[in-house]
Amino acid sequence: MENRKEGEIEDMPMPLSPPTMGSMQIAGSNGFGHNIEFMSQAYLRNRYSEIDIEDYTVYADKDHPLPIFLKFEDVEYKVRSSQAASINPVRVVVSKFASQLNLEQDKYKEILKGVTGSTGPGEILALMGPSGSGKTTLLKIIGGRLTDNVKGNITYNDIPYNPALKRRIGFVPQDDILLPQLTVEETLVFSAFLRLPSDMSLQQKYAKVEMIMKELGLERCRHTRIGGGLVKGISGGERKRTSIGYEILVDPSLLLLDEPTSGLDSTSANKLIHILQGVAKAGRTVITTIHQPSSRMFHMFDKLLLISEGYPIYSGKARECMEYFSSLRFIPEIAMNPAEFLLDLATGQVNDITLPEDLVASQGTADSDRAVIKYLQLKYKTHLEPKEKEENHRSTKAPQQLQLAIQVKKDWTITWWEQFMIIMKRTFRERRRDYFDKLRLLQSLGVAVLLGLLWWKSSAATEAQLRDQVGLLFYICIFWTSSSIFGAVYVFPFEKVYLVKERKADMYRLSVYYVCSTLCDMVAHVLYPTSFMLIVYFMAGFKRTVICFFLTLFTILLIAIISQGAGELFGAAVLSIKRAGMMASLVLMLFLLTGGYYVQHIPKFMRWMKYLSFMYYGFRLLVKVQYSGDQLYECQSKGGCRTLQNSPSFDTVNLDGGLQEVWILLAMALGYRLCAYFCLRKRISGCHI
């Protein structure tokens, strides 16, 4: 592995020197393949150089990113085939036991089959290969995104992966994961405020955002929403550049990018690779997967790892790969892009390519492609892999200073309260269009007017009228319970990918995110019920006293807030849009049936269910607020006046029994949220993107 000293890096021109013309000549000319045996031996002798790690120890201070020397050896990864997967818990247990006895090896699909390589500060390592070859999988394993079913040895400054590396690794996924309702500028500014060091002033953070936007050509779209899905926004290329700016903004020690040039035109892609070169030259390690770069881009890479069917067929300096394959007598017959030539080899498609004599006989057969791939894999195993492993073991061991530094977890750049203020502003800006949605407001006011007209000036003078009014109270409970539950149950499933991405980068504390999400959503859960009750309360003829109105409003708001917490719990428990909706529907039905209106005398063996229902306590509280036990009704009947406590509607409710339900509902509001937080914490920790 080759690394340059600090002074050499600064003096190095932006584009790397292109290889000699001989490495790109049209096959058939003697220049490309002349003296093959000599080239092969010289190539294998000279392609390696020792790592001068000592020169990078000067960077190990607070003013520079910590240099990371990455080595990976014999990395293997496998996944269970879909046919073998099962949701049956018995089969899962049996399967795990069988796999320990190596009885189910055939039910696993190998994605990576022993990949070895290394890279260090100042270098760009390109992972190339056809689709499905395992490039993205290897990138996720290096970034700590995949840990299960991984074999092999991966070290960062000779230390295995540990949680302290989270904030030192930047990861740009192939699918851009950005909040759609924020603008480009807001996205980068919030990231800067959360992740840049606290000793930087706000002006310095803004200046860095401005610099990144200028370098990535995002100034024209800075005030445009990101968009995505059904939300109109910036173009795909602009979204990709924003994703990259989001990560390079904080100068990570190790930057991983998955297909960063997809969706970009040639000029923008070249400019992006130039930016990555600048990132690497500042002492950072850059690894990127790339499908088929242009010739210009290809020669900007320092190192290349070419993968075919999960196994390497080349590893080394990018500018020497053509020499290596020419030494194996794989020579293009026409002038072609080196990346195109390499992908043809990796897929076994060797049209317009001269082959070694060992493979000529196999051409034209059904397995000719496989024969080429197997041949290249064998040559790698015999020629390059031993040298790569020898280099990994022979290279200078990282100084103890770097080994210790890589294990020290970085402190949070800002305090819990500062994170809270930033995430609160971001969450509100992201969701404010939902909070102040015209259709939602129209629904709330429309239902309130409709109910007011149906129960216009209702009273409790007779048993029938009392039953009607009690029915309205219960319907109000139903309406705001269902509205609040389904308004909250999809929040975490929808934002799962964003949350996982930002938590993997250790951007903020999960408690900050949860508190901000809950408090921001409460805006809607307070605003709409309040406007609803201002209309329906007076139209329906409820008790017209100030204290009764505010106690009724308080009860409805409490029910809405508890329903929000229940919805968050169901969403956090499954983190699936479909399953969360099904769970919310089932629980809502159970709460309605045990709420105390449809069935008052529940059998003893089912009675425990009503004590879990917040609708049961909320409905009882509404009734106690609105009516008193000594209030008279049925005064026009033959039997004379009776007290409301003797009404069949209140058989199970002591109207003068105090308001102990308030404390139970407050405990439920807190309990649901605590359960939702711990469920979210457990589920997010096991999610990958």
Side-chain angles (χ1 to χ4, degrees), residues 18-180:
T20 61
M21 279 303 282
S23 64
M24 296 184 62
Q25 278 183 350
I26 299 175
S29 69
N30 295 332
F32 184 91
H34 110 278
N35 203 2
I36 289 175
E37 297 299 330
F38 170 77
M39 287 176 62
S40 176
Q41 295 303 318
Y43 174 78
L44 292 176
R45 282 198 307 269
N46 298 325
R47 64 186 296 271
Y48 295 99
S49 60
E50 293 188 2
I51 303 176
D52 193 2
I53 293 179
E54 297 296 334
D55 291 327
Y56 284 95
T57 57
V58 297
Y59 287 112
D61 59 56
K62 65 179 181 179
D63 297 325
H64 299 88
L66 180 72
I68 290 182
F69 295 87
L70 176 70
K71 300 176 186 177
F72 48 97
E73 186 172 319
D74 296 328
V75 176
E76 298 179 9
Y77 178 72
K78 59 184 180 180
V79 293
R80 288 186 61 83
S81 61
S82 58
Q83 294 82 4
S86 172
I87 59 174
N88 188 318
V90 176
R91 289 189 62 185
V92 169
V93 173
V94 172
S95 175
K96 286 183 178 180
F97 179 73
S99 63
Q100 291 177 353
L101 299 177
N102 295 322
L103 299 178
E104 289 196 345
Q105 293 301 319
D106 58 326
K107 293 185 178 180
Y108 283 91
K109 179 181 179 182
E110 287 187 304
I111 306 298
L112 297 176
K113 305 172 184 177
V115 182
T116 299
S118 61
T119 186
E123 292 181 334
I124 300 179
L125 169 63
L127 306 180
M128 283 185 59
S131 298
S133 59
K135 307 184 299 294
T136 299
T137 301
L138 178 60
L139 201 71
K140 288 182 177 181
I141 291 172
I142 292 173
R145 263 63 174 177
L146 287 179
T147 54
D148 297 333
N149 298 323
V150 176
K151 294 182 180 178
N153 184 32
I154 305 175
T155 60
Y156 311 76
N157 293 347
D158 298 317
I159 299 296
Y161 181 84
N162 60 82
L165 280 164
K166 274 187 181 182
R167 271 177 269 167
R168 300 191 187 277
I169 297 177
F171 190 92
V172 180
Q174 185 171 358
D175 298 322
D176 304 311
I177 302 175
L178 300 168
L179 293 170

Side-chain angles (χ1 to χ4, degrees), residues 335-393:
M336 61 173 65
N337 180 348
E340 185 180 353
F341 171 71
L342 295 175
L343 284 178
D344 285 347
L345 294 181
T347 55
Q349 302 292 324
V350 288
N351 300 326
D352 302 320
I353 297 177
T354 301
L355 303 179
E357 295 178 0
D358 298 346
L359 292 175
V360 173
S362 66
Q363 288 307 294
T365 64
D367 295 330
S368 59
D369 295 351
R370 294 284 304 151
V372 171
I373 294 172
K374 289 293 183 186
Y375 181 85
L376 291 171
Q377 290 176 347
L378 178 63
K379 290 299 182 181
Y380 172 84
K381 195 170 185 65
T382 55
H383 290 171
L384 297 184
E385 187 177 62
K387 298 287 185 180
E388 193 72 43
K389 290 183 177 180
E390 179 186 348
E391 171 64 18
N392 279 355
H393 294 296

Side-chain angles (χ1 to χ4, degrees), residues 283-578:
R284 296 164 185 85
T285 305
V286 178
I287 305 177
T288 178
T289 65
I290 197 155
H291 190 63
Q292 191 168 336
S294 65
S295 301
R296 239 188 200 167
M297 289 167 54
F298 181 82
H299 295 303
M300 295 182 194
F301 300 132
D302 298 291
K303 302 190 75 174
L304 172 68
L305 179 58
L306 183 61
I307 304 175
S308 177
E309 297 181 352
Y311 195 82
I313 58 175
Y314 177 79
S315 179
K317 296 178 183 178
R319 61 178 177 268
E320 294 180 355
C321 65
M322 300 296 284
E323 296 178 10
Y324 168 73
F325 286 111
S326 70
S327 72
L328 300 179
R329 294 184 174 85
F330 286 94
I331 305 172
E333 296 175 353
I334 60 174
M336 61 173 65
N337 180 348
E340 185 180 353
F341 171 71
L342 295 175
L343 284 178
D344 285 347
L345 294 181
T347 55
Q349 302 292 324
V350 288
N351 300 326
D352 302 320
I353 297 177
T354 301
L355 303 179
E357 295 178 0
D358 298 346
L359 292 175
V360 173
S362 66
Q363 288 307 294
T365 64
D367 295 330
S368 59
D369 295 351
R370 294 284 304 151
V372 171
I373 294 172
K374 289 293 183 186
Y375 181 85
L376 291 171
Q377 290 176 347
L378 178 63
K379 290 299 182 181
Y380 172 84
K381 195 170 185 65
T382 55
H383 290 171
L384 297 184
E385 187 177 62
K387 298 287 185 180
E388 193 72 43
K389 290 183 177 180
E390 179 186 348
E391 171 64 18
N392 279 355
H393 294 296
R394 189 183 63 200
S395 59
T396 307
K397 195 172 183 181
Q400 188 176 9
Q401 178 186 1
L402 293 183
Q403 292 185 22
L404 293 175
I406 206 72
Q407 301 177 71
V408 176
K409 188 171 182 179
K410 286 171 119 182
D411 294 331
W412 294 105
T413 56
I414 52 179
T415 64
W416 192 98
W417 178 253
E418 290 171 326
Q419 284 186 0
F420 171 80
M421 295 301 295
I422 295 169
I423 296 295
M424 185 69 120
K425 291 177 184 176
R426 191 185 77 166
T427 303
F428 184 78
R429 290 193 185 182
E430 167 65 20
R431 303 181 189 175
R432 62 186 171 185
R433 290 176 178 85
D434 295 328
Y435 298 155
F436 305 111
D437 183 59
K438 293 180 181 178
L439 290 177
R440 193 171 178 183
L441 180 61
L442 184 63
Q443 178 199 40
S444 176
L445 299 182
V447 171
V449 171
L450 179 61
L451 294 179
L453 293 175
L454 289 174
W455 273 269
W456 178 260
K457 301 299 182 183
S458 64
S459 68
T462 65
E463 185 66 39
Q465 291 174 329
L466 175 64
R467 192 177 299 113
D468 287 346
Q469 204 172 67
V470 171
L472 174 59
L473 290 175
F474 191 71
Y475 180 80
I476 293 173
C477 284
I478 294 174
F479 181 76
W480 287 112
T481 296
S482 59
S483 178
S484 299
I485 281 184
F486 286 103
V489 73
Y490 299 116
V491 171
F492 297 140
F494 270 125
E495 293 195 350
K496 178 178 73 172
V497 289
Y498 310 110
L499 182 56
V500 171
K501 173 195 171 186
E502 293 174 344
R503 284 292 299 156
K504 292 293 183 185
D506 242 10
M507 279 184 62
Y508 47 73
R509 301 166 177 88
L510 184 62
S511 58
V512 172
Y513 168 83
Y514 180 74
V515 171
C516 291
S517 177
T518 295
L519 292 180
C520 280
D521 286 352
M522 277 187 189
V523 172
H525 297 299
V526 170
L527 176 66
Y528 293 110
T530 301
S531 60
F532 176 93
M533 290 304 298
L534 284 171
I535 295 173
V536 76
Y537 190 89
F538 299 105
M539 289 182 69
F542 287 124
K543 193 179 292 185
R544 296 201 174 196
T545 63
V546 174
I547 189 167
C548 278
F549 170 75
F550 281 106
L551 284 176
T552 303
L553 176 61
F554 170 76
T555 304
I556 296 299
L557 294 179
L558 195 53
I559 291 172
I561 289 171
I562 296 172
S563 302
Q564 176 201 3
E568 290 176 348
L569 174 59
F570 304 147
V574 294
L575 287 182
S576 164
I577 294 173
K578 183 178 179 180

Side-chain angles (χ1 to χ4, degrees), residues 123 197 520 646 656 661:
E123 292 181 334
C520 280
N646 294 322
D656 298 320
E661 286 84 3

